[in-house]
Amino acid sequence: MMTVTDLSTYWDRYAGQLPTPPKEEALKQALRWCQYDDHGPGSELLGSPESSLELGCGRGDAVAALANTGVEATGVDLSTEHIRAADRWWGEVTGARFVQGDVVDFLSKANRRWDAAYSMWGAVWFTDPRLLFPLVHERLSDRGRLVFAHAPAISGAYGVQGMYANGFRGRAVEVHRWAYEPHVWEELLRKAGFSEAEVWVEPAPEPDHVGTLIGVGYR
């Protein structure tokens, strides 16, 4: 098993666990926000962007799917292995671009705007929204939007959550993620400058199963 020495290698290890379905199937499911196949909203949440930025793009399936529709699509990911896999799988897709790096650093240094930014169980979940949301807002075009999805908060467990990437016996590499109720996510978006915000929990296809927290913020 890969030794995790920092957050980059933590996500490198995760990259090695990704399934490798046929490309056609990967593209079909790429723009689904929910963790259940063929369930919940799809690419319509992004509107009709001419340019897009994925925050934590993984292997880049969603970036490639958008590029296939004519969108100038960029994905950024902390994991070198994720970006290597994205280039290997989708490097020939016209309009798809993949960048290795921390999303906060990337946005801080960016000198352009995108029509849509999004995080599909990605960087929004693992980055302090008080730091990330203002940076995203600044890099969106007029009426651009941020869309994100990840697991909803567990009742009574709100704010920053933490775990050790190597369990309790290896190097102490800390992994954080943020959990809030929908109305708190909406407040965080508005405080970052978004003019409109809507966050909800999309129900699972079966009762008592884990739903999906989905958020949309408009510049």
Side-chain angles (χ1 to χ4, degrees):
M1 179 179 293
M2 178 182 293
T3 300
V4 174
T5 58
D6 54 23
L7 285 177
S8 180
T9 55
Y10 171 77
W11 291 112
D12 285 347
R13 183 174 68 182
Y14 178 77
Q17 301 169 354
L18 287 176
T20 54
K23 287 188 176 182
E24 295 79 5
E25 183 65 21
L27 290 174
K28 178 183 176 183
Q29 296 294 336
L31 291 170
R32 289 289 178 183
W33 305 92
C34 297
Q35 63 271 44
Y36 306 101
D37 290 347
D38 300 315
H39 175 73
S43 61
E44 69 274 7
L45 292 185
L46 294 173
S48 301
E50 294 183 3
S51 60
S52 66
L53 174 66
E54 183 168 10
L55 308 170
C57 65
R59 190 180 53 208
D61 296 357
V63 174
L66 285 168
N68 272 339
T69 68
V71 177
E72 179 200 347
T74 300
V76 58
D77 199 283
L78 184 61
S79 166
T80 301
E81 291 302 318
H82 272 147
I83 296 303
R84 184 177 291 120
D87 283 329
R88 184 171 63 249
W89 269 59
W90 308 114
E92 295 182 358
V93 175
T94 301
R97 174 174 175 254
F98 303 102
V99 180
Q100 189 278 325
D102 177 82
V103 295
V104 170
D105 291 341
F106 178 85
L107 289 166
S108 298
K109 298 172 183 177
N111 58 4
R112 59 158 297 175
R113 297 179 186 271
W114 288 270
D115 297 329
Y118 62 99
S119 167
M120 309 182 86
W121 296 68
V124 166
W125 201 12
F126 296 94
T127 310
D128 187 342
R130 293 172 179 83
L131 175 63
L132 181 62
F133 283 177
L135 290 171
V136 174
H137 180 269
E138 180 64 23
R139 293 292 103 211
L140 287 173
S141 58
D142 291 341
R143 292 302 295 169
R145 67 184 73 180
L146 167 65
V147 185
F148 58 92
H150 52 251
I154 295 174
S155 178
Y158 307 120
V160 60
Q161 316 285 314
M163 63 180 179
Y164 291 110
N166 291 307
F168 303 125
R169 298 183 64 181
R171 178 177 292 191
V173 178
E174 298 178 351
V175 180
H176 298 94
R177 60 188 175 195
W178 277 257
Y180 298 106
E181 293 182 307
H183 74 276
V184 178
W185 283 109
E186 291 177 349
E187 181 180 353
L188 289 165
L189 286 164
R190 293 191 183 99
K191 284 184 176 180
F194 289 86
S195 61
E196 300 175 42
E198 182 181 8
V199 183
W200 69 96
V201 175
E202 187 75 18
E206 297 184 42
D208 300 324
H209 284 50
V210 178
T212 311
L213 185 135
I214 299 176
V216 184
Y218 297 88
R219 192 179 194 279

